[in-house]
Amino acid sequence: MPTQLSVNLNKIALIRNSRGRDYPSISHFAHLALKAGAAGVTIHPRPDQRHARYSDVAALKEVVAQYPGTELNIEGYPDRAFLDVVLAARPHQCTLVPDEPGQITSDHGWNIARDLDKLKPIVAELKAAGIRVSLFVDPDPMQIVLAPATGCDRIELYTESFAHQHEQDDFTAEFARFAEAAAAASAAGLGINAGHDLNLDNLADFLVIPDILEVSIGHALTVEALHYGYTETVQRYVAILKAAG
Ligand SMILES: CC(=O)[C@@H](O)[C@H](O)COP(=O)(O)O
Ligand SMILES: NCC(=O)COP(=O)(O)O
């Protein structure tokens, strides 16, 4: 099965919040993404709800339910408020991200060696609710091999460093680092997701890495949609995923 695309709607929500009313509607853009062939949608409600809001979670669950086989992925730091929203909505997947509240964006993966005892009960609570759990990680095999001990199903490779090196047209070494990390995840029996700063230019080169189940893409996709339109942009991503096989 080709790698699945989950469209991150954070930046649609950011535009929405800038005027204090439901325009643009992220539900409308979720419909556009799913109609254009995305396998799911993602939001990352942060504690300050600067873009995605906790109230968006249930609304997007209702949209996704209209497209059989598609998924809702909720990303975020597992504080109690976040977990209560996720457990109430029961998305298909929850991706746990170790962000501090004031971070401008996600910029690191979990230190599983340090946070294992913190993560285990959180993962267990989500899985008991029937939610697939993914951990946001750096491409570090030393951390990745510890992930199964948390009980998680997947890891999500934090791909900013690959995207940055790809921009420099000097990504061979970084690609090798991600390929090694992905191999460690596969050897540990983990599913592999990936995301952050992936775009129409770098995605095909990243997907040379085998067994990537899902990529979640939002920031670049939203900017690219200013050029090509939202539907066509999603269709371009879907075509890249299908070509990668
Ligand atoms: C975890 C990750 O890399 C992204 O999913 C994150 O959602 C980006 O957050 P912002 O959209 O707030 O930059
Ligand atoms: N987990 C990555 C994600 O959901 C979107 O990241 P980005 O494409 O907005 O950088």
Side-chain angles (χ1 to χ4, degrees):
M1 173 186 282
T3 303
Q4 302 294 282
L5 171 66
S6 187
V7 173
N8 186 305
L9 297 164
N10 288 354
K11 299 303 161 14
I12 302 296
L14 190 65
I15 298 169
R16 174 197 63 191
N17 294 2
S18 67
R19 278 288 174 93
R21 61 191 179 94
D22 192 30
Y23 182 74
S25 154
I26 67 169
S27 292
H28 173 70
F29 280 84
H31 279 290
L32 288 181
L34 297 172
K35 283 176 178 159
V41 293
T42 291
I43 53 170
H44 183 156
R46 294 179 179 274
D48 62 10
Q49 302 188 76
R50 67 189 73 163
H51 42 51
R53 294 176 176 145
Y54 294 144
S55 58
D56 293 324
V57 174
L60 289 178
K61 180 80 180 295
E62 288 181 18
V63 172
V64 168
Q66 299 171 44
Y67 301 82
T70 65
E71 293 197 348
L72 175 62
N73 174 42
I74 304 301
E75 299 189 334
Y77 181 81
D79 61 23
R80 195 66 248 167
F82 173 83
L83 288 171
D84 287 346
V85 168
V86 172
L87 290 166
R90 295 187 183 219
H92 301 82
Q93 178 173 266
C94 181
T95 302
L96 302 180
V97 187
D99 287 359
E100 297 297 326
Q103 281 182 217
I104 188 173
T105 188
S106 306
D107 61 11
H108 65 281
W110 286 99
N111 180 334
I112 299 176
R114 181 193 65 200
D115 296 333
L116 180 59
D117 290 341
K118 171 192 178 79
L119 288 166
K120 284 169 75 171
I122 291 168
V123 173
E125 187 176 12
L126 292 166
K127 286 181 65 74
I131 300 166
R132 181 195 315 131
V133 180
S134 180
L135 296 184
F136 194 65
V137 298
D138 297 310
D140 178 356
M142 299 292 286
Q143 291 292 346
I144 291 169
V145 296
L146 298 174
T150 69
C152 71
D153 302 287
R154 298 188 184 180
I155 51 100
E156 176 177 342
L157 293 172
Y158 167 46
T159 50
E160 190 276 336
S161 60
F162 171 80
H164 178 74
Q165 288 307 118
H166 196 278
E167 278 179 6
Q168 314 304 315
D169 203 20
D170 176 22
F171 61 93
T172 303
E174 201 61 17
F175 176 88
R177 201 158 79 95
F178 277 85
E180 182 188 4
S186 293
L190 295 163
I192 309 169
N193 294 346
H196 204 98
D197 284 341
L198 293 174
N199 61 36
L200 287 172
D201 183 48
N202 62 31
L203 182 59
D205 288 328
F206 183 79
L207 290 178
V208 173
I209 296 172
D211 304 326
I212 304 293
L213 295 174
E214 176 186 292
V215 289
S216 42
I217 305 174
H219 188 86
L221 185 152
T222 307
V223 176
E224 290 156 345
L226 297 175
H227 294 289
Y228 307 119
Y230 207 77
T231 293
E232 179 174 333
T233 300
V234 173
Q235 289 170 339
R236 288 184 181 214
Y237 277 103
V238 171
I240 291 170
L241 295 173
K242 283 181 178 170

